[in-house]
Amino acid sequence: MTSENTQKPHDRMAAYLNVDMTAVNDLIRDRMASEHAPRIPEVTAHLVEAGGKRLRPMLTLAAARLCGYDGPYHVHLAATVEFIHTATLLHDDVVDESAQRRGRPTANLLWDNKSSVLVGDYLFARSFQLMTETNNMRVLAILANASATIAEGEVLQLTAAQNLATDEGIYLQVVRGKTAALFSAATQVGGVIAAAPDAQVQALFDYGDALGIAFQIVDDLLDYQGDPNATGKNIGDDFRERKLTLPVIKAIAKGDGAERAFWTRTIEKGKQEDGDLEHALSLLNAHGTLDETKAEALAWAEQAKTALNTLPDHELTQMLRDLADYVVARIS
């Protein structure tokens, strides 16, 4: 049996929040049902039951609990956060024309794009129904803003991903939109529903924001130096999909004319040939941009941990610290 010290932080958190998480899962199953359109629970169950870590709803529960909340609406908010996340995944897989997620065929592959988009819309609508049941306008504002920010981030990525003019500022804007916005909203609403002081609510937002950014930077880094068995992605998938991520953005900024021409051909124009990935990796290594990207991810994780200093001394606060370390442990 795994000892407490070697257990992963999110597993420890899941065990600690077991009763709450069971209630969240029951609520999710209840609300993804549809009397009139049986395809909705079919498609949703495929994703919801796929064995994800449920990290975002867990952050909501943890934030509410460590701020002293004793229910019941943290469960509604956690389910809301998971529905928003699942809806964005359904839409993302259509946009990215993905065939696999978490090692299983995507919904758009098993059914079709129309089903994925419409079921995603249904889950967004369901998430708003759940939010209103809390009767808390501030919570509604935070989650509605996060939903808009996520969509904005995805649209920005469409135009920025293959444009060599994309700089680190735009990259951060995309990451804040498509990933960090839901992390920060998830932690923030936990504090708000617990009626925590403003300084604590801000600290929870800051933690989620920094954790989400670290999470995405690590993901982008692992695309160039991860273990495909551990990540479920092949090395260089982002390169093949012509996505400008942080290691490449840094390399372009340092490159000469010949290197810029290489990136223009492979990323902007998409004319990739055998050996291009190897050449791209050699440029990233030559300019040290993988190491620089790693340093940034570690710095964001430290920032997340620093934000927690304002929060009550609680077992869950320590688990959130460990979670920040764990997110970047894959690269350190």
Side-chain angles (χ1 to χ4, degrees):
M1 188 159 162
T2 319
S3 80
E4 173 121 333
N5 295 333
T6 56
Q7 214 181 359
K8 292 172 180 171
H10 52 81
D11 292 334
R12 287 210 317 275
M13 204 183 287
Y16 187 93
L17 297 165
N18 182 36
V19 173
D20 286 346
M21 279 308 294
T22 302
V24 171
N25 288 331
D26 289 346
L27 187 58
I28 285 171
R29 284 192 193 94
D30 179 50
R31 298 303 175 92
M32 71 186 194
S34 166
E35 194 185 334
H36 307 296
R39 178 157 296 182
I40 288 171
E42 279 175 25
V43 173
T44 312
H46 174 72
L47 251 182
V48 169
E49 311 291 346
K53 295 184 193 76
R54 291 272 207 281
L55 188 53
R56 293 156 189 81
M58 227 170 359
L59 289 172
T60 300
L61 298 176
R65 286 294 190 205
L66 73 86
C67 291
Y69 187 67
D70 59 1
Y73 291 122
H74 63 320
V75 171
H76 288 67
L77 293 175
T80 297
V81 164
E82 185 64 8
F83 272 161
I84 293 171
H85 179 53
T86 308
T88 59
L89 294 186
L90 284 165
H91 288 165
D92 281 357
D93 287 340
V94 172
V95 171
D96 294 342
E97 298 172 359
S98 302
Q100 255 202 354
R101 181 173 289 281
R102 295 174 187 153
R104 305 168 79 210
T106 51
N108 49 306
L109 193 71
L110 289 178
W111 287 274
D112 50 47
N113 283 342
K114 292 174 188 171
S115 296
S116 287
V117 170
L118 294 173
V119 172
D121 291 347
Y122 177 81
L123 291 183
F124 265 125
R126 274 292 199 222
S127 73
F128 279 88
Q129 286 178 322
L130 274 165
M131 278 180 229
T132 58
E133 289 172 30
T134 65
N135 287 316
N136 186 313
M137 280 303 289
R138 192 171 167 201
V139 153
L140 208 60
I142 291 164
L143 288 166
N145 287 341
S147 300
T149 303
I150 292 162
E152 196 177 31
E154 294 290 356
V155 176
L156 176 61
Q157 185 175 310
L158 279 182
T159 53
Q162 287 148 17
N163 180 357
L164 258 56
T166 296
D167 59 17
E168 292 189 33
I170 294 170
Y171 169 81
L172 193 59
Q173 212 177 331
V174 169
V175 167
R176 272 219 159 91
K178 67 173 202 162
T179 304
L182 194 54
F183 275 86
S184 55
T187 45
Q188 190 182 10
V189 293
V192 169
I193 203 70
D198 285 348
Q200 291 183 8
V201 172
Q202 184 62 48
L204 286 164
F205 172 88
D206 292 343
Y207 170 82
D209 178 60
L211 184 76
I213 293 169
F215 186 91
Q216 188 59 55
I217 292 176
V218 167
D219 235 33
D220 293 344
L221 186 59
L222 288 175
D223 190 76
Y224 286 101
Q225 58 175 41
D227 170 6
N229 295 322
T231 62
K233 290 168 72 176
N234 298 312
I235 290 285
D237 275 352
D238 285 349
F239 178 75
R240 281 183 284 274
E241 289 167 21
R242 302 161 58 202
K243 284 183 186 167
L244 267 182
T245 57
L246 194 54
V248 174
I249 291 168
K250 286 178 177 294
I252 290 167
K254 295 180 175 196
D256 58 21
E259 289 172 27
R260 191 174 179 83
F262 167 78
W263 295 117
T264 301
R265 172 174 67 76
T266 55
I267 302 284
E268 274 196 350
K269 297 183 177 165
K271 293 177 180 166
Q272 296 187 6
E273 300 160 3
D274 285 348
D276 280 347
L277 174 61
E278 290 70 22
H279 185 55
L281 283 165
S282 73
L283 293 178
L284 300 183
N285 284 311
H287 290 300
T289 69
L290 295 172
D291 288 338
E292 282 180 23
T293 300
K294 177 177 163 180
E296 286 203 25
L298 293 167
W300 281 108
E302 281 304 315
Q303 208 166 307
K305 289 194 295 184
T306 302
L308 295 172
N309 294 340
T310 311
L311 295 169
D313 189 19
H314 193 289
E315 277 178 87
L316 283 164
T317 314
Q318 187 53 50
M319 288 182 204
L320 291 174
R321 268 193 199 93
D322 294 344
L323 183 64
D325 284 332
Y326 176 71
V327 160
V328 292
R330 298 180 292 170
I331 56 164
S332 48

